Amino acid sequence: MAEAWLNQICGDCFAAESAGLEPGTLNPLVVEAMEEAGIDISKKETRAVFDVFKAGKLFSYVITVCDETSAEKCPIFPGVAKRLHWSFPDPSTLVGSREHKLVEVRKIRDEIRDKIQAWCEEVCPSPAGAPTWT
């Protein structure tokens, strides 16, 4: 979700890429919640952090979004990138009915969007008169 929001909100300043410690399949509730917000991530392939590291790319920022209980497992990405850690609940750990989990995923989606919106406005201000996400 963070990659999609970053590319949506301030893709003119950044080209976000995402990777996980244990890539797998996209969470269908996350795909649904993002689709409700007008962003289709259904074709997005998951990648391993190690594969991104092996590619040798340099990044200006490395932002980890692990929840606090998993923070010790968040990757350390070498290089001169500015590192930020934003803790959000992991949608895959939600319990309850499908409807309850979808409600919670929507909350996480919106928290991530709001955090990225505020951060983008701080590090990449839009030109005067340009629209911002609402």
Side-chain angles (χ1 to χ4, degrees):
M1 287 190 283
E3 174 190 7
W5 281 124
L6 187 61
N7 287 327
Q8 170 83 21
I9 294 170
C10 57
D12 55 336
C13 293
F14 298 102
E17 296 184 41
S18 64
L21 290 175
E22 299 172 13
T25 58
L26 292 174
N27 182 323
L29 294 177
V30 169
V31 173
E32 182 177 341
M34 291 300 287
E35 183 67 34
E36 291 173 355
I39 299 176
D40 181 7
I41 62 169
S42 64
K43 306 284 189 273
K44 178 74 179 149
E45 292 186 24
T46 62
R47 298 185 322 169
V49 168
F50 189 66
D51 291 336
V52 174
F53 171 72
K54 287 189 312 187
K57 292 182 178 182
L58 297 176
F59 296 95
S60 299
Y61 292 90
V62 173
I63 303 170
T64 55
V65 294
C66 305
D67 64 8
E68 288 302 327
T69 59
S70 302
E72 70 278 354
K73 293 189 268 183
C74 271
I76 304 292
F77 221 86
V80 296
K82 294 178 185 167
R83 290 166 180 75
L84 304 171
H85 175 71
W86 299 338
S87 179
F88 295 104
D90 181 351
S92 70
T93 64
L94 297 172
V95 295
S97 69
R98 180 191 181 288
E99 293 75 24
H100 172 76
K101 290 190 283 188
L102 184 56
V103 167
E104 294 304 308
V105 168
R106 288 174 180 139
K107 289 178 187 176
I108 297 166
R109 173 200 66 197
D110 294 347
E111 288 174 22
I112 292 171
R113 181 199 61 216
D114 293 348
K115 178 70 175 180
I116 288 173
Q117 177 68 41
W119 183 73
C120 286
E121 288 174 2
E122 178 183 318
V123 298
C124 187
S126 60
T132 58
W133 185 266
T134 55

